[in-house]
Amino acid sequence: MLFSFAVEYAIRRVQVNQDGLKLNGTHQLLAYDDDVNILGGSVDTVKKNAEALVTATKETGLEVNAHKTKYMTVSRDQNAGRIHSMKTDNISIERVEEFKYLGTTLTNQNSIQKEIKSRLKLGNACYYSGQNLLSSRLLSKHLKIKIYRTIILPVVLYVCETWSLTLREERRLRVFESRVLRIVLGPKRDKVTGEWRKLHNEELRNLYSLPKIVRVV
């Protein structure tokens, strides 16, 4: 709690008369949770604000951990920011192309492909851990669908409000959901051959009346 008070004091001092990234009509210098994040429209702005923060934190006895401090330039131009160097208080800050913040992967090109890939990987792990439940004959299909929507789906769609889907990513999400629903809804006996087979996509759509994963996004 004392640490939070000290950081809050430093941040409030730095935010006075400083330029930051303009969001919702106002300048947002800092966003912080357990970590401190400095936002700016240019490398020079971030550097200036970082130096101001280092100076303000020294008054309360805090120090910057150089090994844990990174900076990233977000741009469609792959060479953006490469000519810049970031130093604060004689500490060189490493430039990175991506980092994870609050469970979300942020990249220098603002691409969501890696984030969706990571989400699907976590969703698959959640699916396999509960596969016995989803394939159990002791549970109703209604209950298994509820397990999927309340346990697995939120893992995959975490912070999906920030996604801008391409057709490729939409297809990957649909493939994931179809695989889970085939286990949940079970196989179907073919009327002609009498053999059991997997449900076709059209049959899945007819049996699963709730909004599909892409529609939820």
Side-chain angles (χ1 to χ4, degrees):
M1 190 174 290
L2 287 175
F3 171 77
S4 297
F5 286 150
V7 173
E8 178 74 13
Y9 171 77
I11 288 172
R12 287 177 181 268
R13 293 202 56 184
V14 173
Q15 282 182 317
V16 178
N17 299 323
Q18 292 285 345
D19 294 327
L21 187 64
K22 197 169 185 179
L23 299 173
N24 298 325
T26 59
H27 287 285
Q28 306 290 332
L29 171 64
L30 294 159
Y32 61 96
D33 187 66
D34 293 331
D35 301 317
V36 177
N37 298 276
I38 302 178
L39 309 176
S42 67
V43 175
D44 292 333
T45 299
V46 173
K47 183 177 181 179
K48 181 178 67 174
N49 293 336
E51 291 172 346
L53 180 63
V54 169
T55 301
T57 53
K58 278 187 175 181
E59 297 179 11
T60 56
L62 298 179
E63 294 183 358
V64 176
N65 188 325
H67 297 292
K68 293 184 178 181
T69 305
K70 316 291 180 184
Y71 84 96
M72 184 176 74
T73 303
V74 180
S75 173
R76 293 175 182 266
D77 181 6
Q78 295 185 2
N79 295 318
R82 291 189 181 277
I83 61 174
H84 295 274
S85 61
M86 182 82 73
K87 284 187 177 181
T88 9
D89 197 30
N90 295 323
I91 298 173
S92 295
I93 300 176
E94 180 187 358
R95 180 181 184 274
V96 296
E97 296 183 354
E98 65 177 66
F99 71 97
K100 189 174 284 289
Y101 178 65
L102 296 180
T104 302
T105 302
L106 306 176
T107 68
N108 61 345
Q109 296 186 53
N110 201 25
S111 171
I112 54 109
Q113 291 182 358
K114 288 188 176 182
E115 170 62 13
I116 292 180
K117 183 178 180 180
S118 174
R119 289 285 113 204
L120 288 174
K121 183 177 180 180
L122 292 172
N124 278 317
C126 187
Y127 158 69
Y128 285 118
S129 66
Q131 192 174 15
N132 291 336
L133 288 175
L134 297 177
S135 59
S136 174
R137 295 184 178 181
L138 300 177
L139 301 180
S140 67
K141 293 179 180 179
H142 175 75
L143 183 56
K144 288 189 281 188
I145 288 176
K146 183 173 290 188
I147 292 174
Y148 163 64
R149 292 187 64 84
T150 57
I151 298 178
I152 301 175
L153 195 60
V155 172
V156 178
L157 299 187
Y158 177 71
V159 300
C160 68
E161 298 86 352
T162 64
W163 295 355
S164 179
L165 295 179
T166 63
L167 292 176
R168 179 184 178 184
E169 302 309 323
E170 287 184 6
R171 182 179 179 278
R172 295 179 67 180
L173 291 171
R174 288 195 185 98
V175 169
F176 168 80
E177 185 171 67
S178 296
R179 185 171 68 253
V180 176
L181 290 179
R182 283 190 173 93
I183 297 297
V184 169
L185 299 174
K188 181 179 180 180
R189 185 184 292 274
D190 192 287
K191 294 181 179 180
V192 179
T193 63
E195 296 179 351
W196 292 94
R197 61 171 177 80
K198 293 181 179 179
L199 293 171
H200 300 311
N201 289 335
E202 185 176 350
E203 293 170 329
L204 286 176
R205 287 192 292 268
N206 293 333
L207 293 172
Y208 184 70
S209 58
L210 295 171
K212 308 302 184 292
I213 188 168
V214 174
R215 177 62 61 186
V216 174
V217 175

